[in-house]
């Protein structure tokens, strides 16, 4: 038989219990207490966005669309147009980026809305109670990721088109055309995705937010095509000029109209719209339960 342990004296106390006359307990946690900052939120959001499979799938499809459609467009043009008449080969990258932008929109929505669907947003807010910090970290991490991936794809497809069309009397792009056709359009697509992120935070439903964003991209152009009345001519013109596909094409100097935004105007317009959407998402996040 095992010997029972000796009884604990009545005046004995656990070592973590406060000593008589001392208001604070005598136990000190071995885990260091670190004051959190914005860098921790950035690290957390980067870990989350690179760990989920939706990121790899959406960015993988984006790369395939941009490079695949871009290559197909280059092959079709070289086989059907022996003389391009001095047109810039960079404009052929527009088609792949327009369709690939749907992937960036989807990923932007999922970055915020999916956490509400799974309930993980509660864990996120417990870990970082400063809600504005969480939203800003999500937006910054997503924007940088979308910008880098888009820039790499736009640059690669631009180099490919210049190489394919150099024997077909294509125009040699200038430095400004390269800047707008790579950095400019990449910033625009990344801002479009960040706008989707803000909409996902407001709607808190992935399918609904994605539907709204795809409608915002395609609906103005489709509606304008069916405006046959002369009384609606000004409205039709405005829808053409400020539709997202037309604003993307401006970075390749292929606007659908001679008036409206030009140069770098589409980037500033998207920057203002995205900033307003993030401001609204922040205000709602501070005033709604998770």
């Amino acid at each position: 038989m095992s010997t029972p342990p000796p009884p604990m004296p009545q005046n004995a106390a656990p070592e973590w219990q406060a000593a008589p006359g001392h208001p604070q307990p005598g136990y000190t946690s071995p885990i260091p207490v670190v004051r959190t900052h914005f860098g921790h939120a950035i690290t957390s959001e980067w870990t989350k966005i690179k760990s989920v499979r939706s990121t790899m799938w959406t960015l993988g499809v984006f790369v395939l669309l941009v490079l695949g459609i871009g290559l197909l467009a280059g092959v079709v043009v070289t086989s059907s147009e022996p003389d391009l008449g001095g047109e810039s080969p960079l404009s052929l990258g527009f088609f792949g980026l327009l369709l690939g932008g749907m992937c960036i929109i989807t990923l932007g929505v999922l970055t915020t809305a999916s956490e509400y669907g799974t309930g993980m947003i509660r864990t996120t807010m417990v870990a970082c109670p400063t809600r504005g910090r969480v939203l800003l970290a999500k937006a910054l991490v997503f924007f940088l990721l979308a910008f880098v991936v888009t820039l790499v794809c736009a640059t690669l497809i631009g180099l490919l088109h210049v190489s394919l069309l150099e024997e077909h009397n294509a125009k040699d792009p200038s430095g400004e055309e390269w800047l707008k056709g790579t950095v400019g359009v990449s910033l625009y697509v990344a801002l479009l995705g960040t706008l989707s992120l803000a909409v996902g935070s407001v709607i808190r439903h992935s399918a609904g937010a994605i539907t709204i964003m795809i409608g915002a991209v395609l609906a103005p152009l489709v509606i304008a095509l069916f405006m046959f009345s002369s009384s609606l001519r000004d409205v039709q013109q405005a829808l053409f000029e400020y539709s997202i596909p037309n604003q993307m094409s401006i970075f390749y100097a292929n606007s659908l109209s001679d008036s409206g935004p030009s140069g770098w105007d589409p980037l500033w317009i998207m920057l203002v719209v995205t900033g307003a959407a993030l401001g609204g998402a922040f205000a709602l996040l501070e005033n709604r339960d998770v």
Side-chain angles (χ1 to χ4, degrees), residues 168-203:
H168 294 264
N169 196 24
K171 177 185 176 182
D172 188 18
S174 64
E176 183 179 0
E177 288 175 329
W178 270 111
L179 185 64
K180 291 177 64 177
T182 54
V183 176
V185 75
S186 298
L187 287 171
Y188 187 88
V189 171
L191 283 173
L192 179 61
T194 308
L195 173 62
S196 306
L197 181 146
V199 172
S201 179
V202 171
I203 302 300

Side-chain angles (χ1 to χ4, degrees), residues 58-59 62-63 66 93-109 139 142-154 180-197 213 217 244-245 247-249 251-252 264 266-271 274:
T58 51
L59 291 182
F62 172 78
V63 172
V66 174
F94 165 76
F95 304 103
L97 280 173
L98 180 60
L99 290 178
M102 302 302 171
C103 299
I104 299 297
I105 286 174
T106 301
L107 181 60
V109 169
F142 172 82
F143 175 82
L144 292 176
L145 177 63
F147 171 71
V148 170
V149 174
T150 307
L151 179 61
V152 170
C153 291
K180 291 177 64 177
T182 54
V183 176
V185 75
S186 298
L187 287 171
Y188 187 88
V189 171
L191 283 173
L192 179 61
T194 308
L195 173 62
S196 306
L197 181 146
M213 285 305 304
V217 171
I244 290 177
Q247 292 192 59
M248 286 184 63
S249 69
F251 290 99
Y252 299 103
W264 294 89
L267 186 61
W268 313 134
I269 294 172
M270 183 57 68
L271 183 62
T274 303

Side-chain angles (χ1 to χ4, degrees), residues 15-173:
E15 60 179 4
W16 49 265
Q17 186 173 327
H22 294 273
Q24 299 296 331
Y27 175 76
T28 302
S29 173
I31 302 174
V33 178
V34 179
R35 188 177 183 86
T36 59
H37 51 74
F38 185 63
H40 293 133
I42 291 287
T43 304
S44 174
E45 294 304 325
W46 169 244
T47 301
K48 283 190 285 187
I49 201 170
K50 73 177 183 179
S51 301
V52 295
R53 278 176 288 199
S54 60
T55 302
M56 298 304 300
W57 277 105
T58 51
L59 291 182
V61 174
F62 172 78
V63 172
L64 287 176
L65 286 174
V66 174
L67 298 183
I69 294 178
L71 178 60
L72 180 62
V75 171
V76 170
V77 169
T78 54
S79 61
S80 60
E81 295 288 341
D83 190 349
L84 295 178
E87 293 185 7
S88 175
L90 297 180
S91 60
L92 296 177
F94 165 76
F95 304 103
L97 280 173
L98 180 60
L99 290 178
M102 302 302 171
C103 299
I104 299 297
I105 286 174
T106 301
L107 181 60
V109 169
L110 292 177
T111 301
T112 49
S114 63
E115 287 201 47
Y116 288 97
T118 60
M120 280 298 296
I121 190 65
R122 299 183 183 92
T123 304
T124 299
M125 293 306 179
V126 168
C128 183
T130 308
R131 298 184 177 187
R133 182 187 295 176
V134 172
L135 182 61
L136 182 59
K138 286 180 180 294
L140 184 58
V141 169
F142 172 82
F143 175 82
L144 292 176
L145 177 63
F147 171 71
V148 170
V149 174
T150 307
L151 179 61
V152 170
C153 291
T155 303
L156 288 176
I157 201 64
L159 293 172
L160 178 63
H161 285 153
V162 170
S163 177
L164 279 175
L165 303 178
E166 62 181 353
E167 298 179 357
H168 294 264
N169 196 24
K171 177 185 176 182
D172 188 18

